[in-house]
Each structure stands twice: as structure tokens, then as C-alpha cells.
Amino acid sequence: MKAVLVLEDGTVFQGESFGAQGETTGEVVFNTGMVGYQEVITDPSYTGQIVTMTYPLIGNYGINNLHVESSGPKVKGMIIKSHCNHPSNWTSENTLHNYLKKHEIIGLSGIDTRALTKKIRTKGTMGGIIATGDGLDIAKLTRKAKEAITKGPEIVRSVTTSQPYQIAGDGPKVVVMDFGIKQNIIRHLKKANCDMTIVPSYTPAAEILKLNPDGVFLSNGPGDPKDVPEAIETVQSLLGKKPMFGICLGHQIMGLAMGADTYKLKFGHRGSNQPVQDLRSGKVYITSQNHGYAVKWDTVKEDIIVTHKNLNDNTVEGISYPDKKAFSVQYHPEAAPGPEDSDYLFKDFTDLMMGAK
């Protein structure tokens, strides 16, 4: 079926639909990964976004139940150049088309994704709408695209756990603040034998301290970190009381709690090939990232150490607050593009907790 993408500036891309039919709105972003589309689709950090994959052929290894990062798709829509509906891989259990259709996610294929990506790089991310069918009212769709970007605390609340739950382990007790956590992060904490209690994003510091954890972990998640002020307040109250480790949105929240500022990047970092340098060792890591906001370097306080930087644009990729036994990274060490080069961060966290006991 025919379909279009209409951006908030009135630009129209015409193609073919796959997956579900109808309309969907969201912030149009791009991801440069050559593989990992299933992880992208199910990553809660993409909540509210229409994702464009820059690699031209998507769907060729199908879909399986091994590599989902949450309970199901979290993207608002999927845009690709060429859709493969005949996957070939021994793990494949479904096609991308059938998977998106089942979960009522609209896909758009057959457009010039290179032109779309270049536009986003030049103009920045913007609202958009995918609509299927004939005789579409472009002016009306443009108006909807201008109101497409979801803001506010509800975006995190839509992906956080509604109730605390436990994952038993023989190691240190960790309270995980769930802002939209990926399952692979849980797997890495489990691999480190952490005894986890996963709590909602809005859990106050007093309730976390009642659990008497050895450490607190701040997860990834969607949206603007300033839209979750209650989480910033919680982290401020916990700093120095318990060792703390944050990833992605958790990193930004920790930065705000430490007195730094955050800002929106023009088109964000989304992909599995971002070069990050550890400023302490000089070592460079190829990292997986998915975020639209960053900690503002010149607002980082003197008692906080910037530990990592992005070699593409020199943005802050890691901070440490040694006096408070807290650190965080912007990238996803659990996503394994290395594949295990960044596992040391989870060991650093467990060592920090064991040293504080």
C-alpha cells in the first residue's frame, strides 16, 4: 500500500507501507547501525520516535525472541530503504513485516533514506507523521507533524515498571531505578551476580534507602532528563549515601543532580559506531548509543571528573564523582559493539559497592 512521511516543515517522502496501516506521529531520528534493528525497535529509549535506519537493507535476518530489549516494540514507526520479507537466519522466527503488524507499528519503505538523513543532519530532528493510503491531505498531515514530538514526564512513566520486582543474585544488593531499562543491562547486572530490586522511576530516596542496597543503578530511558525532576531530586538525595552507576538517561540525570546542565543535540547519537575515548587511559572504544541529549561540558563542577568524551563532536560521554562514589556513561556498555570492551564498567560498579561495605 502507498504511504508517505510528512515532516513538520512540509517535506514529503513517498513510499510503500509494511507492518500496520493507518497513521503514526513522532520525532523523526536516524540510526546508523548496520545490524540490530530488532534491538532498536524494542529499546524503550526510542519511545515516541520514528526511527530511520541508514543501512539500506533491513529485515534480512528476521525477528526472534532472543534479542528483544523489552516487552515489545517501543518505536512509533520504522523507516527503511529496502524491506526484506524473506529473511534467512537460523534464529529467525518471524518477518519484520509480521512482527510490526502484530504490534500495530507502521513501517515505511522505498524512500530515499539518505536524503532524509542528510536533511535531519542539516536541520535537526523534527516531528513527522507516516500515513498510509491514497488521497492523503498533505496540509493536514503537516499540521499533525508539527505537534508530533511527545514531551513531559509521561514518556518515562509509560515505560517504567509499575511495581517493584526482584531478580535474585548472590552478590551485592542493587536498587535499579527503571527509566525504561533494556533487558541486556539486566542481563549484565545478573552476570555480575547482583541481587536486584527494580523500582519505578518515581520512587523516592527514602523508599530506596529502606531497602538498604549496596548500590543504586540508574537506567537508560527516553526523552529529556529535565522532564523527570523527581528522579533528579531522588539522585541528589542518594549521592554520597550509596555507590551509584548510571547509563544513558541515567547519566544525564546524574549530571543534573551533580549541578551540571544538559542540552538537546541537533540530531543526537544513535548507532553502534560512536568513538569514545577514556580520558584516563587514552583508550578508544567503539560504542553503541541512543540519545538526543547530553551533559554540557562547561557546566560540570570542579569536583566532578569528565572521564570520557565523544571523538566525533567532543561531547561528554562519562563523568565521575569520586567523593560520592558515583559515576556514569552516556553510551551503552552492555550493547557490546566491542563486543566486551566496556564490561569493565560493570566490574567497576561491583568493586565500588564491595569496597563501600
Side-chain angles (χ1 to χ4, degrees), residues 49-196:
Q49 296 178 333
I50 296 172
V51 181
T52 305
M53 301 300 293
T54 62
Y55 188 70
L57 180 62
I58 300 296
N60 51 314
Y61 57 84
I63 296 286
N64 62 56
N65 291 319
L66 297 173
H67 300 132
V68 295
E69 291 292 355
S70 64
S71 58
K74 296 296 184 290
V75 298
K76 293 294 293 294
M78 194 79 175
I79 301 173
I80 60 179
K81 171 64 177 175
S82 180
H83 168 233
C84 176
N85 205 31
H86 301 283
S88 178
N89 187 279
W90 69 275
T91 65
S92 178
E93 300 171 352
N94 205 347
T95 65
L96 178 60
H97 165 73
N98 288 336
Y99 183 70
L100 293 185
K101 185 177 181 180
K102 175 184 176 182
H103 293 280
E104 300 182 341
I105 305 295
I106 301 175
L108 173 65
S109 67
I111 75 162
D112 188 343
T113 51
R114 184 183 183 196
L116 175 58
T117 300
K118 289 176 71 175
K119 185 176 187 65
I120 294 171
R121 282 181 58 89
T122 302
K123 302 293 186 180
T125 60
M126 60 185 79
I129 180 170
I130 299 174
T132 64
D134 297 313
L136 298 169
D137 186 337
I138 301 302
K140 184 178 180 180
L141 293 176
T142 302
R143 290 193 293 271
K144 289 183 178 181
K146 290 178 180 179
E147 302 173 354
I149 298 179
T150 304
K151 298 180 180 180
E154 67 274 6
I155 204 170
V156 168
R157 292 204 175 211
S158 72
V159 292
T160 188
T161 180
S162 59
Q163 297 290 333
Y165 64 97
Q166 289 187 307
I167 298 176
D170 298 326
K173 292 174 60 179
V174 179
V175 168
V176 177
M177 293 191 70
D178 175 16
F179 304 115
I181 193 165
K182 292 170 62 181
Q183 288 302 302
N184 207 25
I185 290 177
I186 291 177
R187 285 190 286 267
H188 272 69
L189 291 170
K190 190 174 181 180
K191 183 180 176 181
N193 294 320
C194 292
D195 184 17
M196 290 174 275

Side-chain angles (χ1 to χ4, degrees), residues 49 223 252 263-270 290-294:
Q49 296 178 333
Q252 297 159 17
Y263 66 104
K264 186 173 184 178
L265 297 166
K266 189 174 183 179
F267 47 83
H269 300 155
R270 297 176 180 90
N290 169 25
H291 63 103
Y293 292 82

Side-chain angles (χ1 to χ4, degrees), residues 277-297:
Q277 184 177 39
D278 187 327
L279 298 175
R280 299 161 297 183
S281 66
K283 189 172 182 179
V284 176
Y285 300 90
I286 300 302
T287 70
S288 177
Q289 301 195 19
N290 169 25
H291 63 103
Y293 292 82
V295 173
K296 197 173 184 180
W297 197 313

